Amino acid sequence: MMPPLRLAGTLIPAMAFLSCLKPESWEPCVEVVPNITYQCMEVNLYKIPDNIPSSTENLDLSFNPLRYLGNRNFSKFPELQVLDLSRCDIQAIEDDAYWGLNHLSTLILTGNPIQHLGLGAFSGLSNLQKLVAVETNLDSLENFPIGHLKTLKELNVAHNLIHSFKIPGYFSNLPNLEYLDLSNNKIRNIFHEDVQVLHQMPLLNLSLEISLNPIDFIQPSAFNGIRLYGLTLRNNFNSTNIMKTCIQGLAGLEVHQLVLGEFRNERNIENFNKSSLEGLCNLTIGEFHLAFLDDSPDNTIDLFNCLANVSAISLVSKTTISVSVLSVLVVSAVVVLVYKFYFHLMLLAGCKKYGRGESTYDAFVIYSSQDEDWVRNELVRNLEEGVPSFQLCLHYRDFIPGVAIAANIIQEGFHKSRKVIVVVSQHFIQSRWCIFEYEIAQTWQFLSSRAGIIFIVLQKLEKSLLQQQVELYRLLSRNTYLEWEDNALGRHIFWRRLRKALLDGKPWSPEAAADAENCQQEATTAT
Ligand SMILES: *[C@@H]1O[C@H](CO)[C@@H](O)[C@H](O)[C@H]1NC(C)=O
Ligand SMILES: *[C@@H]1O[C@H](CO)[C@@H](O)[C@H](O)[C@H]1NC(C)=O
Ligand SMILES: *[C@@H]1O[C@H](CO)[C@@H](O)[C@H](O)[C@H]1NC(C)=O
Ligand SMILES: *[C@@H]1O[C@H](CO)[C@@H](O)[C@H](O)[C@H]1NC(C)=O
Ligand SMILES: *[C@@H]1O[C@H](CO)[C@@H](O)[C@H](O)[C@H]1NC(C)=O
Ligand SMILES: *[C@@H]1O[C@H](CO)[C@@H](O)[C@H](O)[C@H]1NC(C)=O
Ligand SMILES: *[C@@H]1O[C@H](CO)[C@@H](O)[C@H](O)[C@H]1NC(C)=O
């Protein structure tokens, strides 16, 4: 008989050997679709996991402290199609970091404080269609090493530090580019030479989104002879005069869809004067949308004489939209008194379905209209752009006032949202409408018996004010909630926690991202 010590000496290595023979484990990641989709969000990875099958096509590594991407870091995953590196604290990306990823079509780098980007950082990505580099400290497109990405369709560099509108010459190598999002940067001027390259590519079918840049000058005729599919300028001008001269500067542009205006509550222009739109007469426009600028509807009649050939005009303004919301409110109030419970279901049914068949919303968002800008610019952008992409049900675009309610729609609508996000703010507490919606959400939670309410607290709230809403106060003090902080660390923690909360119970499908994009249409009121 072996002495116990020797026995242990034999058994331990043997056990270690046997454990090596066990089928490979992909811990700590979650296997969503075997051999295809792995989800490794926030599992404290310092390096790319090597125990995931090389056949993986979709990999979510978001919220891990990867910090540094070196040469050929992903070469073990030649089949990758979608790679999410959101908020991985990545500060440097070396040359050939994505070497071998010839099938990658979507790369998400949102929320990384990138300081060093090798000139060959994106080399090899011969099939990349969508690059999301929101909040990555990018200060210029000129040095962004993407000139070889011939297949690129969508480039999102919103929320960065870009000062110049200069569309670099390398764009002439990107003939498939359809969407360039430069919103929320630091662009002040647009000069003729900035858009020179667009003259060289007459077939380009490009939509430009430049909202939320503090533009005060557009050089006259800078856009003369240029054709765009779309151009969006919201919250760009801080006075009617600046708006007027900038619109005159657009003379000669041919654009299928032009969107001008502001966001509902971030209004820079106090006294809108329709004469500031005169310059539009020198543009060729297919569809025209004006949001939250014009307070008086009778202003609009003669405004558009020179837009006679425009196929669609829509105006969203304080008088139109809020009137309809108001009337919904009044009608609701009456209905509530009579059929409170029934109405709860109706309201939720107001969110029309995305896409076909079974698709659902990840969350129904309840917020005060005063916080709509935050919802649009932060919540929607961060949640609908990521992988997995979350689909939100928002009343400003998904809610159909006065929709016919049949019992089966109620059933359907009721089951369409997995969660409810409640955006709590000073405005929220003061708004009866929100409290009302919130009560509905509670009913919903009660009925569906799913633990579904996520609270987001936007600002520090005065306790006394909060206490007036007894029920809300009780819930907030009893539950954990997410507090929004607008700084790098605060954002990181916030989005990580929120995504985690939303992922709970979500079926993971990257294709859903494509569906969501088809449904970005805003609820507008046509005149
Ligand atoms: C995953 O890949 C392995 C190795 O290629 C294979 O043995 C296994 O059958 C695959 N599993 C599925 C579900 O396709
Ligand atoms: C990338 O590769 C380098 C060296 O090959 C390694 O030091 C680093 O940890 C890798 N990074 C990640 C995030 O795996
Ligand atoms: C141009 O791009 C828009 C989307 O931005 C798309 O709907 C349209 O079909 C494209 N047109 C062509 C001719 O490719
Ligand atoms: C408008 O913007 C200019 C600079 O772009 C700034 O100097 C000015 O104070 C702003 N005016 C208002 C009313 O915000
Ligand atoms: C609008 O601007 C035009 C020219 O700048 C001016 O003549 C007109 O009085 C203004 N209208 C209002 C209502 O301020
Ligand atoms: C349209 O362009 C012409 C020539 O550039 C200019 O004289 C005219 O003032 C412009 N009209 C408007 C309304 O800006
Ligand atoms: C509208 O189109 C017609 C035919 O193309 C053209 O003759 C007319 O000048 C256009 N009107 C305006 C205001 O652009």
Side-chain angles (χ1 to χ4, degrees):
M1 208 178 106
M2 273 192 247
L5 210 63
R6 263 190 68 200
L7 183 66
T10 320
L11 273 182
I12 290 171
M15 279 161 71
F17 177 67
L18 280 176
S19 71
C20 290
L21 284 184
K22 275 202 323 203
E24 257 200 314
S25 144
W26 44 84
E27 295 282 344
C29 301
V30 177
E31 185 180 61
V32 182
V33 180
N35 291 353
I36 304 290
T37 300
Y38 291 83
Q39 206 264 354
C40 318
M41 179 183 153
E42 205 201 357
V43 284
N44 213 19
L45 293 172
Y46 289 88
K47 55 196 259 318
I48 320 293
D50 46 16
N51 51 352
I52 285 179
S54 61
S55 54
T56 300
E57 293 173 12
N58 306 302
L59 184 56
D60 176 1
L61 290 171
S62 58
F63 298 95
N64 288 292
L66 297 180
R67 303 217 165 96
Y68 170 86
L69 298 184
N71 195 298
R72 306 193 181 193
N73 269 176
F74 296 93
S75 56
K76 286 209 179 75
F77 307 105
E79 305 298 327
L80 272 191
Q81 293 176 15
V82 178
L83 177 58
D84 188 346
L85 295 168
S86 295
R87 298 182 198 275
C88 288
D89 199 21
I90 296 169
Q91 289 154 31
I93 304 181
E94 298 296 348
D95 288 353
D96 293 321
Y98 305 105
W99 185 90
L101 302 189
N102 296 326
H103 300 292
L104 195 70
S105 68
T106 300
L107 175 60
I108 299 174
L109 289 171
T110 297
N112 285 294
I114 299 175
Q115 283 156 17
H116 170 77
L117 195 60
L119 281 181
F122 299 114
S123 65
L125 295 172
S126 58
N127 200 25
L128 196 67
Q129 297 185 13
K130 175 168 172 175
L131 177 58
V132 183
V134 172
E135 256 187 83
T136 50
N137 283 347
L138 190 65
D139 59 6
S140 148
L141 278 182
E142 201 78 50
N143 310 324
F144 202 43
I146 55 168
H148 61 289
L149 300 176
K150 292 191 166 51
T151 50
L152 202 62
K153 277 191 169 162
E154 182 176 339
L155 176 60
N156 189 338
V157 288
H159 217 304
N160 277 302
L161 308 169
I162 300 170
H163 285 268
S164 164
F165 189 65
K166 172 100 178 133
I167 313 273
Y170 65 72
F171 271 63
S172 57
N173 297 337
L174 312 177
N176 299 308
L177 197 66
E178 283 185 357
Y179 182 72
L180 173 59
D181 191 339
L182 277 163
S183 57
N184 216 337
N185 275 287
K186 313 280 178 200
I187 297 166
R188 308 193 80 100
N189 308 303
I190 297 181
F191 298 107
H192 187 261
E193 71 211 38
D194 291 344
V195 289
Q196 197 56 40
V197 68
L198 297 181
H199 285 285
Q200 297 156 19
M201 338 177 43
L203 294 179
L204 196 66
N205 180 32
L206 181 67
S207 292
L208 271 177
E209 158 67 275
I210 33 188
S211 300
L212 295 161
N213 283 284
I215 295 179
D216 47 30
F217 178 71
I218 297 182
Q219 190 173 22
S221 322
F223 286 91
N224 196 7
I226 287 177
R227 249 177 97 171
L228 291 176
Y229 183 82
L231 176 64
T232 303
L233 287 160
R234 293 178 74 171
N235 270 79
N236 290 102
F237 315 113
N238 72 1
S239 79
T240 332
N241 274 341
I242 294 176
M243 179 163 184
K244 183 172 183 164
T245 51
C246 286
I247 288 178
Q248 282 168 348
L250 294 175
L253 172 68
E254 187 181 335
V255 58
H256 176 70
Q257 188 183 70
L258 178 68
V259 183
L260 290 179
E262 308 215 305
F263 293 106
R264 187 193 297 242
N265 312 296
E266 224 174 86
R267 299 177 56 146
N268 298 336
I269 297 181
E270 307 258 304
N271 299 309
F272 173 72
N273 183 333
K274 62 180 179 176
S275 76
S276 57
L277 296 181
E278 275 166 12
L280 291 180
C281 294
N282 280 348
L283 272 69
T284 309
I285 301 170
E287 291 171 26
F288 178 60
H289 305 267
L290 183 67
F292 301 113
L293 263 181
D294 195 2
D295 284 339
S296 94
D298 35 302
N299 247 347
T300 59
I301 316 295
D302 56 337
L303 174 67
F304 300 107
N305 280 345
C306 73
L307 299 181
N309 290 346
V310 170
S311 70
I313 293 177
S314 80
L315 303 169
V316 187
S317 81
K318 239 183 173 174
T319 46
T320 50
I321 270 283
S322 47
V323 165
S324 62
V325 170
L326 196 70
S327 54
V328 169
L329 246 173
V330 171
V331 173
S332 320
V334 175
V335 177
V336 165
L337 291 174
V338 189
Y339 293 121
K340 189 170 178 192
F341 176 71
Y342 182 62
F343 188 76
H344 286 182
L345 302 182
M346 276 168 48
L347 192 97
L348 286 157
C351 282
K352 58 176 191 275
K353 337 185 266 192
Y354 269 125
R356 320 139 238 123
E358 333 273 88
S359 56
T360 52
Y361 292 97
D362 292 299
F364 176 52
V365 187
I366 298 176
Y367 58 94
S368 154
S369 65
Q370 302 288 317
D371 301 316
E372 180 163 323
D373 294 331
W374 184 86
V375 169
R376 272 171 193 271
N377 295 323
E378 298 289 348
L379 198 68
V380 173
R381 266 168 206 272
N382 274 282
L383 294 181
E384 294 194 348
E385 278 279 335
V387 173
S389 145
F390 297 104
Q391 295 177 4
L392 304 178
C393 179
L394 298 160
H395 70 69
Y396 72 76
R397 57 165 200 215
D398 303 318
F399 181 66
I400 317 163
V403 70
I405 313 284
N408 64 337
I409 301 178
I410 294 173
Q411 260 326 89
E412 238 189 310
F414 185 71
H415 291 292
K416 282 294 169 202
S417 296
R418 286 194 301 112
K419 306 246 169 183
V420 174
I421 295 178
V422 184
V423 182
V424 182
S425 69
Q426 207 92 337
H427 298 126
F428 182 89
I429 294 174
Q430 285 161 333
S431 153
R432 277 161 189 259
W433 171 249
C434 293
I435 298 298
F436 170 64
E437 279 188 304
Y438 165 73
E439 280 175 10
I440 292 162
Q442 275 192 307
T443 309
W444 173 82
Q445 186 180 27
F446 170 72
L447 283 175
S448 62
S449 68
R450 285 178 280 193
I453 303 190
I454 301 167
F455 293 97
I456 294 174
V457 176
L458 272 197
Q459 311 127 335
K460 292 261 179 290
L461 296 167
E462 260 182 63
K463 217 170 174 185
S464 60
L465 200 63
L466 195 54
Q467 276 164 342
Q468 290 167 19
Q469 298 299 337
V470 183
E471 191 58 23
L472 189 59
Y473 180 71
R474 212 157 49 85
L475 272 161
L476 276 181
S477 46
R478 211 169 50 196
N479 288 284
T480 48
Y481 52 86
L482 306 181
E483 233 172 310
W484 169 250
E485 263 183 80
D486 199 3
N487 58 50
L489 181 65
R491 280 166 162 271
H492 179 97
I493 295 169
F494 177 86
W495 292 119
R496 188 184 58 196
R497 292 181 61 197
L498 182 55
R499 276 175 61 147
K500 224 169 187 180
L502 281 174
L503 266 178
D504 174 36
K506 178 179 171 64
W508 205 95
S509 98
E511 291 79 22
D515 279 359
E517 270 158 34
N518 299 331
C519 306
Q520 297 274 336
Q521 205 68 33
E522 203 174 295
T524 54
T525 313
T527 59

